[in-house]
Amino acid sequence: MNSTTTQFVPSRRMGLYEPVHQMSMWGDFRNTLLDSSPPPELMLEVNANLDNQSEDTTSHGTFAASHRNDQEASKPDDKVLRRLAQNREAARKSRLRKKAYVQQLENSKLRLIQLEQELNRVRQQGLCVGGGIDTSQLAYTGNSNPGISAFELEYGHWVEEQNRQISDLKNALHSDMGDTELQIFVDGGMQHYFELFSMKVMAARADVFYIMSGMWKTSAERFFLWIGGFRPSELVKVLSPHLDALSEQQRLDIVNLTQSCQQAEDALSQGMEKLQFILAQAIADGLLREGNYLPQIGAAMNKLDDLVRFVVQADHLRQETLQQLSRILTTRQAARGLLALGEYLQRLRALSSCWSSRPREQA
């Protein structure tokens, strides 16, 4: 009589284990195991088990003993196959972990290369040239936001135009030009700053955080940043020493203007602090560990229009301060004030570029 048992051997098609019916005769059983081609280190163990079971079958010479030994022989083989399956699964998981780790290293390397390229680009833009810097690519950083990209290009052109106006204004003040002609330069310089304020309104609506952070300015300018621009009262203090031949009334008017600016700045700063607190509460509402934070983000988004309005109000205060100064000053004094303001901003940009391109000490 022939009896059949079910064994699990490696499948060459998918690397899994499939049942194969084996004959109980030792010759067929041995041949089947050899065809499955187990690893060499397991061959000695399998052959030893087969030989021991073959001798036991011969000594007893009965079918019952042979059938019993056949079942006992299958147990260690099943154990070996299970061990093989575990080893292959562990190897597969190890390969997947290694592949993921290598991919992570490659991504980190690409990111590092991008950061190095960006750093080199910024350093090249910040080369000191006399008392100023090369502003041909001052603001453009390739931002993915179309509104901000347009603003960066426009601001780069704005800085170039300001440098040209500063040069023209300087030449006009050193000439015999009359006040009527000089007033044209003053009006053009004032209008140039008003155009910047209009550009910032559109940019703030595209990305208010970008304008608030001052990423469109150099690092030294960002150091003095207040709600997306210069602080009007501090600007008046910086320019006042350069406004020569002021009358007592003019000095008094400038002091009053400075105080009014400070009061308006304090009100806006307090409003900003309150808005920051409201935004923080809206974002942190609920449990920070719950994972679903879309409702909190939506509530915070509704408050960002208020932040845009703060930027607009701050720029309006800056514009009003310039207009009030122009009313207090004579045409020639206003021209000197615009020249001092332009050169002050140039010096801040030059400070940023010289600091970024300074020689580094060798470690």
Side-chain angles (χ1 to χ4, degrees):
M1 294 178 63
N2 291 333
S3 175
T4 60
T5 59
T6 300
Q7 299 290 330
F8 287 87
V9 297
S11 171
R12 297 183 180 180
R13 290 183 290 111
M14 300 181 61
L16 302 176
Y17 290 86
E18 300 178 345
V20 177
H21 295 285
Q22 303 289 344
M23 298 299 294
S24 62
M25 295 182 63
W26 286 117
D28 294 338
F29 187 65
R30 182 191 297 270
N31 291 335
T32 303
L33 286 176
L34 291 177
D35 290 340
S36 65
S37 301
E41 59 271 17
L42 298 177
M43 287 295 296
L44 295 177
E45 180 180 351
V46 173
N47 290 336
N49 292 333
L50 292 177
D51 292 339
N52 292 337
Q53 295 300 328
S54 180
E55 291 175 359
D56 188 61
T57 302
T58 303
S59 60
H60 287 77
T62 64
F63 170 76
S66 176
H67 184 70
R68 183 174 58 256
N69 291 335
D70 185 17
Q71 292 179 340
E72 292 176 356
S74 66
K75 293 181 181 179
D77 294 321
D78 292 341
K79 184 176 181 181
V80 169
L81 294 176
R82 284 195 301 270
R83 189 184 299 118
L84 282 173
Q86 293 173 356
N87 291 342
R88 288 172 180 170
E89 181 64 17
R92 186 183 67 83
K93 292 181 178 180
S94 177
R95 288 193 299 269
L96 291 176
R97 287 193 299 267
K98 182 179 180 181
K99 183 178 180 181
Y101 178 71
V102 171
Q103 185 64 41
Q104 183 180 5
L105 290 178
E106 291 177 352
N107 293 338
S108 300
K109 182 180 179 180
L110 291 176
R111 180 57 180 159
L112 180 60
I113 292 174
Q114 292 175 352
L115 292 175
E116 290 177 347
Q117 291 175 348
E118 180 69 12
L119 180 59
N120 291 334
R121 185 189 63 78
V122 172
R123 287 177 177 174
Q124 290 174 359
Q125 291 178 357
L127 296 177
C128 292
V129 181
I133 56 174
D134 178 14
T135 59
S136 60
Q137 295 180 339
L138 177 66
Y140 183 72
T141 58
N143 195 288
S144 59
N145 188 319
I148 296 303
S149 298
F151 172 78
E152 288 177 337
L153 290 175
E154 292 175 353
Y155 181 69
H157 297 321
W158 187 92
V159 172
E160 293 177 357
E161 177 61 19
Q162 185 192 43
N163 292 335
R164 187 191 64 78
Q165 289 187 2
I166 291 172
S167 178
D168 293 343
L169 191 58
K170 186 182 299 184
N171 294 332
L173 285 170
H174 286 86
S175 66
D176 297 330
M177 185 178 297
D179 289 347
T180 302
E181 295 175 308
L182 191 59
Q183 185 64 45
I184 298 176
F185 288 89
V186 173
D187 293 340
M190 295 284 289
Q191 185 61 34
H192 193 57
Y193 284 98
F194 299 164
E195 290 174 358
L196 175 61
F197 300 149
S198 298
M199 290 161 49
K200 288 173 60 182
V201 172
M202 302 301 296
R205 291 170 180 169
D207 187 350
V208 65
F209 296 115
Y210 175 85
I211 295 298
M212 287 289 297
S213 64
M215 293 304 296
W216 47 285
K217 287 182 170 291
T218 59
S219 55
E221 290 175 288
R222 290 198 297 270
F223 180 75
F224 298 98
L225 198 69
W226 175 78
I227 312 184
F230 59 81
R231 186 182 288 270
S233 61
E234 293 298 327
L235 181 65
V236 174
K237 293 178 182 178
V238 169
L239 296 182
S240 295
H242 302 279
L243 304 175
D244 54 350
L246 293 174
S247 65
E248 289 299 320
Q249 184 61 46
Q250 285 178 321
R251 295 182 187 277
L252 179 60
D253 292 338
I254 290 177
V255 170
N256 292 334
L257 176 61
T258 303
Q259 292 177 351
S260 298
C261 288
Q262 289 175 338
Q263 292 175 0
E265 290 166 5
D266 291 340
L268 285 176
S269 296
Q270 291 175 5
M272 279 291 300
E273 292 177 0
K274 184 176 181 180
L275 179 59
Q276 287 178 334
F277 179 74
I278 293 174
L279 280 173
Q281 279 190 324
I283 295 173
D285 187 32
L287 296 177
L288 292 176
R289 304 183 305 273
E290 60 185 4
N292 181 18
Y293 47 78
L294 292 181
Q296 289 81 4
I297 298 301
M301 287 285 291
N302 294 331
K303 303 295 182 181
L304 294 185
D305 287 338
D306 295 334
L307 186 57
V308 174
R309 282 191 283 270
F310 271 102
V311 174
V312 174
Q313 290 175 1
D315 277 344
H316 179 71
L317 178 59
R318 285 183 270 266
Q319 180 171 332
E320 286 292 319
T321 302
L322 291 176
Q323 288 178 329
Q324 289 294 329
L325 273 176
S326 68
R327 297 188 184 103
I328 294 171
L329 303 175
T330 65
T331 299
R332 193 160 294 271
Q333 289 171 339
R336 293 186 182 278
L338 282 175
L339 179 61
L341 175 57
E343 289 188 347
Y344 174 69
L345 296 178
Q346 279 185 337
R347 293 180 183 184
L348 287 178
R349 298 181 193 122
L351 173 63
S352 297
S353 67
C354 290
W355 173 254
S356 64
S357 61
R358 72 191 186 280
R360 302 299 197 275
E361 294 182 1
Q362 299 295 331

